[in-house]
Amino acid sequence: MSATAVHSLWTMGAANPIAKIPAPHIEYAQLSPTLIVLGAALLGVLVEAFVPRKSRYYAQVFLTVVAIAASFAAVVALAAGGYGSTKAHIAAMGAVAVDGPALFLQGTILLASLVAVFTFAERRLDPEAHGSRVDSFAAQAASVPGSTSEQNAVRAGFTTTEVFPLALFAIGGMLVFPAANDLLTLFVALEVFSLPLYLLCAVARRKRLMSQEAAVKYFLLGAFSSAFLLFGIALLYGYAGSVSYARIADVVDGTVQNIDPALASTMGNDALLLIGGAMILMGLLFKVGAVPFHMWTPDVYQGAPTPVTGFMAAATKVAAFGALLRLLYVVLPGMRWDWRPVMWAVAIITMLGGAIVAITQTDIKRLLAYSSIAHAGFILAGVIATTPDGISSVLFYLAAYSFVTIGAFAVVTLVRDAGGEATHLSKWAGLGRRSPLVAAVFAVFLLAFAGIPLTSGFSGKFAVFKAAADGGAGALVVVGVISSAIAAFFYIRVIVLMFFSEPKADGPTVAVPSPLTMTTIGMGVAVTLVLGVAPQYFLDLAGQASVFVR
């Protein structure tokens, strides 16, 4: 090419200067709950780097509790400012929704995380090792189990205080997940809260090999579910020419006007929509722990450190159901006749599968894992209702369930023998005679799981089943009631074992916890009884927060 030709191209380019790239418009105040938590997580990483080892534990606990409390205050301020109702809108250039369901779920996640973090900080349950108090986490996570480096770390009194910033990163991802308003934000939030959880599962102080095995299983299966989700996002993008929820919903309804010519050949192809939607649902149902995507749940619940199990069981469920609700009610309401039969089938096998398999369990943490699978089925009944009552009943159930779960796992951390936590059911025989208060508290949580009246479990199940029946899913309610009856059997069986069996001579002892775990268990009992005896205020709150912004 001659010099003049190059010169003329250059002058032509200069004659049409590139338009300025607009700066992104971010509403920092409305995103403050998430920004506070993620900012504190970054500070926590700096604390690990610069604060002396002796002071790290106190610095991290203080930072974490203050950050979660401040974030919750920000959520309350946004709700009081009308962002849950009249001012609900899409923030961060279409990436995040600030509306009633998002704020309600974020508040629930933050309160549940706050009481869960108290169990992370518990240091009185194990006997002191070499003159220093120990928690539930490995002395040095990087050392090989049983190696001399691990023994040296225990002797030196090391502790894994990194669990606090990891928990904050997970909470930050969970806050974005139910509020995500486009598919890429959804995927990024999923990874932000999943990766810290994979790590947290692997750092148990006792039974380290089992803990690491649980983490590897969770990581591999989680990677599969992320891949399904990402592939579904790609197909939906091909279908709608956008990753925005509102745009996809418009293409599904056929109301979209301007079509990009480059995408005209694939846009509106129903095969892409059906397969893509199914794959995204698979990714979300995996996080919820619904059958047949539940295989990770029992192993991970059993192997992870118990405080992490409680945190994960409560907060992940809330975040994942929030994202599932937004996807089905905002993006795919026009496909209701396609997804409802599939979700019916998933809900039925989840309720029955979780309840029936739980009967055969001999480990208390596995039993609670299958119980959580059954509860995922009950909550799905509310999702299937496709009415405003369906949304509010799911929000209420998630709030009630999360506190019962964290409380139950906090009680499990107290029952100990020489090898750490005594999770085999046979060890719990006669616990009611040895430690009546702890057994009574655990019985309250089990009765709430079973859905006995005057507990939050009954109010939640009643709300969900009523919404499902009103939404035309009466058969699902019948299956739900049968599953609840099956599930009640194994909850009552544990209560009978605790109060009506003779305690063994070499049975476990009940450790006396610090005020931190006492607060967690006390909060769990209080919420369980308040939501059971006087649920109306909270049902109304969930009802007011049940309108998605589109």
Side-chain angles (χ1 to χ4, degrees):
M1 193 183 279
S2 68
T4 52
V6 171
H7 183 257
S8 69
L9 282 174
W10 181 77
T11 49
M12 277 165 60
N16 304 320
I18 299 168
K20 283 185 179 171
I21 299 171
H25 173 62
I26 307 290
E27 298 88 336
Y28 290 105
Q30 288 146 46
L31 302 178
S32 56
T34 311
L35 296 175
I36 291 168
V37 169
L38 291 175
L42 293 172
L43 274 177
V45 174
L46 295 176
V47 167
E48 284 299 314
F50 296 111
V51 172
R53 198 181 280 277
K54 283 265 193 300
S55 319
R56 272 182 215 165
Y57 165 78
Y58 298 104
Q60 293 284 27
V61 173
F62 176 76
L63 177 66
T64 307
V65 170
V66 167
I68 295 174
S71 181
F72 181 71
V75 169
V76 173
L78 285 173
Y83 285 102
S85 49
T86 50
K87 291 190 195 170
H89 70 119
I90 309 296
M93 298 180 70
V96 177
V98 181
D99 58 8
L103 292 174
F104 188 94
L105 292 163
Q106 287 176 341
T108 305
I109 290 166
L110 288 164
L111 282 180
S113 303
L114 184 63
V115 292
V117 162
F118 290 155
T119 62
F120 278 55
E122 177 59 67
R123 289 189 131 175
R124 283 211 197 147
L125 300 178
D126 269 319
E128 289 190 3
H130 305 283
S132 53
R133 288 185 169 168
V134 296
D135 52 21
S136 303
F137 304 102
Q140 195 168 21
S143 56
V144 177
S147 65
T148 49
S149 69
E150 183 183 44
Q151 288 158 11
N152 293 340
V154 172
R155 210 168 290 123
F158 289 2
T159 50
T160 303
T161 44
E162 300 96 301
V163 294
F164 295 103
L166 282 174
L168 282 172
F169 277 120
I171 295 164
M174 288 173 190
L175 293 180
V176 178
F177 200 56
N181 196 58
D182 70 46
L183 293 171
L184 286 183
T185 309
L186 182 82
F187 179 72
V188 171
L190 174 80
E191 292 308 301
V192 169
F193 83 76
S194 296
L195 293 172
L197 288 178
Y198 301 150
L199 290 173
L200 286 170
C201 288
V203 293
R205 179 174 285 272
R206 309 287 187 101
K207 301 177 181 162
R208 282 199 64 199
L209 286 172
M210 190 176 179
S211 165
Q212 290 176 359
E213 179 196 351
V216 170
K217 283 179 180 168
Y218 191 21
F219 171 64
L220 289 175
L221 289 168
F224 270 109
S225 86
S226 297
F228 275 120
L229 188 84
L230 204 50
F231 203 69
I233 290 171
L235 292 176
L236 275 191
Y237 176 74
Y239 168 80
S242 171
V243 288
S244 159
Y245 282 8
R247 169 82 176 185
I248 297 169
D250 286 346
V251 179
V252 172
D253 294 342
T255 54
V256 71
Q257 301 301 324
N258 49 342
I259 292 179
D260 187 332
L263 293 160
S265 59
T266 60
M267 267 186 76
N269 181 338
D270 284 352
L272 292 179
L273 171 66
L274 291 169
I275 300 168
M279 287 189 144
I280 292 177
L281 275 182
M282 280 162 74
L284 293 176
L285 289 172
F286 172 88
K287 281 290 162 205
V288 162
V291 181
F293 313 105
H294 68 293
M295 291 303 175
W296 60 278
T297 312
D299 292 339
V300 174
Y301 277 34
Q302 187 182 11
T306 307
V308 174
T309 308
F311 167 59
M312 197 167 62
T316 309
K317 256 204 181 32
V318 178
F321 268 112
L324 187 67
L325 277 174
R326 193 174 294 277
L327 184 81
L328 294 178
Y329 282 66
V330 175
V331 185
L332 304 175
M335 287 180 63
R336 192 169 298 170
W337 301 110
D338 296 302
W339 61 254
R340 267 191 84 170
V342 179
M343 297 298 277
W344 263 70
V346 170
I348 287 170
I349 58 173
T350 304
M351 289 191 282
L352 289 173
I356 291 166
V357 181
I359 293 174
T360 63
Q361 300 306 309
T362 55
D363 184 279
I364 196 84
K365 283 168 82 175
R366 287 183 82 86
L367 183 126
L368 289 175
Y370 279 105
S371 144
S372 90
I373 292 168
H375 281 282
F378 299 140
I379 301 171
L380 280 174
V383 174
I384 289 167
T386 60
T387 60
D389 280 353
I391 302 174
S392 63
S393 69
V394 169
L395 296 180
F396 178 82
Y397 199 123
L398 288 168
Y401 172 81
S402 52
F403 283 94
V404 182
T405 304
I406 293 174
F409 280 108
V411 173
V412 172
T413 62
L414 304 184
V415 183
R416 295 180 167 261
D417 57 16
E421 290 162 8
T423 57
H424 198 277
L425 270 180
S426 61
K427 304 267 180 77
W428 287 60
L431 191 73
R433 301 186 186 187
R434 191 164 278 169
S435 181
L437 182 62
V438 170
V441 166
F442 197 61
V444 168
F445 292 138
L446 290 174
L447 292 173
F449 281 136
I452 303 298
L454 300 183
T455 64
S456 60
F458 174 76
S459 309
K461 271 187 190 162
F462 184 80
V464 166
F465 288 161
K466 181 177 182 299
D470 293 347
L476 206 59
V477 177
V478 175
V479 176
V481 171
I482 293 168
S483 302
S484 297
I486 297 169
F489 166 75
F490 60 81
Y491 297 127
I492 305 294
R493 190 183 72 180
V494 176
I495 295 173
V496 169
L497 185 76
M498 290 193 298
F499 287 100
F500 300 104
S501 301
E502 287 299 323
K504 291 181 180 170
D506 59 342
T509 56
V510 174
V512 178
S514 69
L516 291 167
T517 301
M518 286 181 186
T519 306
T520 301
I521 295 172
M523 281 279 290
V525 172
V527 171
T528 303
L529 295 177
V530 168
L531 293 187
V533 176
Q536 198 54 51
Y537 171 75
F538 299 94
L539 282 166
D540 292 345
L541 197 65
Q544 288 161 16
S546 65
V547 181
F548 285 107
V549 65
R550 282 187 168 78

